[in-house]
Amino acid sequence: MHLRRLILSVCLLVVLPAYALGAETAVGVAMDDFSYTDTSAEPANQTAAHERRLAAFMAALRQDIGGDRRYRLVPSAQDGAAFKVIGGIQKTSTLVQWAKVAVIDVGARKVVMDKLYTFRGDNDESWERAEIFVSREIMAALGAPAPIALAVFEFELEDNTAAPAAGLAAADASFLAEVTGSVRDALGQSGRYRLVDVGSANEEAVKARALRDCGGCEAAMAQRLGADQSLIGVVRRVSRTEYTLGFQVRDARTGTVLARGDSGLRLGADYSWKRGAVRLVSDRLIENQ
């Protein structure tokens, strides 16, 4: 049986000799590609789809672990890995899959996590949700808090100039896209957050770019997307050379406001929005936790 072979692999890895960590302060983590077996006996050949989904699963898992500054991904114990992560996934029926995951403390020659999970579905969404859950479990076994799944919605423009244009001008849309992208990059690179794709959110408040006025509706949207928290942001144009910035983070389950930040009046043309937004989020959210 596939899962029995994986269990045997865990036992063999425990008796490997321990290797000292290098001079790096980040703890080395080695992670092999998970194996995959389909015993569902479905008539359609889904090999290509499974290979693609498994590759995306492993890429996201490595991004989660490697994105935490306390850890660095290395090829093997010989390269300074303090922990080894192995696993395998088996599809047993049309809707049921099993995942076996183990984490080995190489230096202590000890299995610190050895769990069997089940998840339903065999599509991109079910695989993504399974990866988020497994990532949290592995991070907990490594002794680090799991990254928070965060839905960062597009920043919005509140134009308070004397004669705002009807609708969102193309130039403004471009600058706002830069703001959102830069803030997402800063949050993702911090290691504290795992960004959740919000592309499928199509509620009216999203289409109208009016999440700032929907009374916290973004929290429920974030929960439906599988996020722990939501973030919305706004650029308030006071004049063509003056603006302010604000953001708000809510708990996706309860809607409680967890953090917010507002800048004072800033001087600068529209292209400076990006720099100001990244600075505000870094100062008030990333560095302040």
Side-chain angles (χ1 to χ4, degrees):
M1 291 290 291
H2 166 69
L3 293 178
R4 289 180 180 174
R5 290 198 300 270
L6 181 59
I7 293 170
L8 178 60
S9 298
V10 174
C11 296
L12 292 174
L13 280 167
V14 174
V15 299
L16 286 174
Y19 292 86
L21 289 177
E24 299 87 346
T25 56
V27 176
V29 178
M31 185 183 305
D32 292 342
D33 285 336
F34 286 14
S35 60
Y36 190 84
T37 302
D38 186 350
T39 58
S40 64
E42 291 181 296
N45 187 337
Q46 302 179 72
T47 302
H50 290 152
E51 289 177 350
R52 175 180 60 81
R53 288 174 180 143
L54 181 61
F57 181 98
M58 294 308 304
L61 197 57
R62 290 189 170 102
Q63 182 177 349
D64 287 348
I65 306 302
D68 191 303
R69 296 174 183 174
R70 287 166 291 189
Y71 299 98
R72 59 188 176 91
L73 296 177
V74 296
S76 66
Q78 289 87 341
D79 298 290
F83 293 95
K84 176 81 170 181
V85 179
I86 63 172
I89 299 174
Q90 181 176 1
K91 182 175 182 178
T92 58
S93 69
T94 301
L95 293 177
V96 178
Q97 302 198 73
W98 293 87
K100 177 75 172 178
V101 183
V103 178
I104 299 97
D105 184 326
V106 178
R109 305 183 186 184
K110 176 183 178 182
V111 177
V112 295
M113 170 185 161
D114 183 12
K115 294 187 177 181
L116 181 64
Y117 306 97
T118 182
F119 64 98
R120 295 182 62 81
D122 187 11
N123 54 34
D124 292 348
E125 182 180 2
S126 63
W127 276 76
E128 181 179 353
R129 291 182 183 277
E131 186 280 326
I132 291 173
F133 185 83
V134 169
S135 171
R136 291 173 178 171
E137 294 282 283
I138 292 175
M139 293 290 279
L142 293 174
I148 298 168
L150 179 66
V152 180
F153 293 94
E154 298 288 336
F155 270 63
E156 300 172 354
L157 176 63
E158 185 177 302
D159 196 339
N160 295 315
T161 56
L168 188 63
D172 291 337
S174 177
F175 287 129
L176 288 173
E178 290 183 358
V179 170
T180 305
S182 297
V183 167
R184 285 173 176 162
D185 288 344
L187 291 165
Q189 292 169 10
S190 72
R192 298 181 183 274
Y193 298 98
R194 169 189 167 80
L195 300 184
V196 174
D197 184 7
V198 300
S200 61
N202 59 0
E203 286 80 355
E204 283 303 316
V206 175
K207 295 177 182 178
R209 294 177 177 265
L211 288 175
R212 64 189 184 278
D213 297 323
C214 75
C217 67
E218 74 277 3
M221 296 181 199
Q223 185 178 35
R224 287 194 292 273
L225 295 169
D228 301 315
Q229 298 176 8
S230 65
L231 183 149
I232 60 171
V234 59
V235 178
R236 305 180 189 90
R237 176 186 279 149
V238 179
S239 71
R240 285 295 169 179
T241 57
E242 298 174 316
Y243 67 97
T244 65
L245 295 158
F247 74 86
Q248 186 166 265
V249 176
R250 290 182 184 270
D251 182 286
R253 185 177 60 85
T254 66
T256 303
V257 175
L258 302 176
R260 59 162 54 97
D262 286 286
S263 72
L265 186 66
R266 294 175 181 264
L267 300 178
D270 300 345
Y271 58 78
S272 64
W273 294 352
K274 175 177 66 175
R275 182 175 65 249
V278 170
R279 179 63 180 271
L280 178 66
V281 170
S282 296
D283 289 349
R284 303 291 179 85
L285 186 60
I286 298 174
E287 300 300 333
N288 197 37
Q289 289 193 0

